[in-house]
Amino acid sequence: MEILIAVAIVAGAYLFASIPWGLLIGRINGIDIRKQGSGNIGATNVTRTVGKGWGRLCFLMDFLKGLLPVLIAKKLTMTGSVSDPYQIVIASTALACVAGHMWSIYIGFKGGKGISTTAGLLMALTPYSVLIAGVVWAAVFFTSRYVSLASICAAVILPIAAVIFSVTGVQPQPGTVLGLLIFLAALAIFRHRSNISRLLNGTENRFDKKKKSAKKPEAV
């Protein structure tokens, strides 16, 4: 593959993932989502501030920001082997998606915490691991009602599941992808460091769909 094509794929992924859907949804509803609730542009804050339907739309759009670019990169590189050198382009595209959401060029290199977008790109890379992580997320969330705790637990379990599936041959992955998963898990934990601090000192707010804006929600 020509180096310019590879650069175009990665750059396009970043620009596409930089679209701040949560901010746009807020503006449609006449508010600046960054000045409401937690101030985050992710689906959780949109749900708590604008409503459940808008929150679901925001999650879907952020999810697609990760899914579509990686699927396109896989199609354009025509890769079919875990040893294919084009896997580095796919991994770079995935990383660009996360970077675009977290540090959007359209809003001063600020953004969300990247959980929805990461879930989308991982669905394109390692769907079995995403299903396991999804089960863990749901179990932790519906038990604790903490979005942040559920997101952190899912981020931790995902690379572990991917390594197990790869080693057992269920869903083999190249080293570049496994390394990317470990990095993304570490990044997710880092981006949730304030939530972790609040969880430890007992001040993190639970997700309560009956209360629209009384408390700060956890950010996605």
Side-chain angles (χ1 to χ4, degrees), residues 19 26 41 43 46 52 64 71 75 126 145 158 172 176 185 194 199 206-207 218:
I19 300 173
I41 64 171
V46 171
K52 185 185 297 184
L64 292 176
L71 288 179
K75 181 67 174 179
T126 173
R145 304 301 292 183
L158 199 146
T176 51
S194 61
L199 285 166
R206 286 184 170 87
F207 186 89
E218 300 85 349

Side-chain angles (χ1 to χ4, degrees), residues 23 193 207:
L23 181 61
R193 62 192 183 281
F207 186 89

Side-chain angles (χ1 to χ4, degrees), residues 178-198:
L178 294 178
L180 175 67
L181 297 183
I182 294 172
F183 173 77
L184 291 178
L187 183 60
I189 293 172
F190 176 75
R191 293 285 286 183
H192 282 84
R193 62 192 183 281
S194 61
N195 301 88
I196 293 173
S197 178
R198 291 194 295 271

Side-chain angles (χ1 to χ4, degrees), residues 51-123:
K52 185 185 297 184
W54 287 108
R56 288 173 177 171
L57 176 61
C58 184
F59 174 83
L60 174 62
M61 300 308 293
D62 285 346
F63 182 86
L64 292 176
K65 289 198 300 189
L67 178 69
L68 295 181
V70 175
L71 288 179
I72 291 172
K74 291 177 70 174
K75 181 67 174 179
L76 292 179
T77 56
M78 301 297 288
T79 185
S81 169
V82 297
S83 62
D84 195 313
Y86 291 148
Q87 288 287 350
I88 190 68
V89 177
I90 296 172
S92 298
T93 300
L95 190 57
C97 291
V98 176
H101 181 77
M102 291 184 175
W103 300 287
S104 170
I105 192 173
Y106 307 125
I107 52 175
F109 297 101
K110 296 179 180 180
K113 295 187 177 179
I115 297 300
S116 303
T117 299
T118 300
L121 69 89
L122 293 177
M123 181 61 75

Side-chain angles (χ1 to χ4, degrees), residues 101-187:
H101 181 77
M102 291 184 175
W103 300 287
S104 170
I105 192 173
Y106 307 125
I107 52 175
F109 297 101
K110 296 179 180 180
K113 295 187 177 179
I115 297 300
S116 303
T117 299
T118 300
L121 69 89
L122 293 177
M123 181 61 75
L125 292 174
T126 173
Y128 293 165
S129 302
V130 172
L131 292 177
I132 296 297
V135 170
V136 170
W137 188 95
V140 174
F141 172 71
F142 287 111
T143 299
S144 69
R145 304 301 292 183
Y146 288 124
V147 176
S148 56
L149 180 61
S151 299
I152 292 167
C153 290
V156 170
I157 200 65
L158 199 146
I160 296 174
V163 170
I164 293 174
F165 284 136
S166 185
V167 170
T168 58
V170 174
Q171 193 171 61
Q173 297 290 347
T176 51
V177 170
L178 294 178
L180 175 67
L181 297 183
I182 294 172
F183 173 77
L184 291 178
L187 183 60

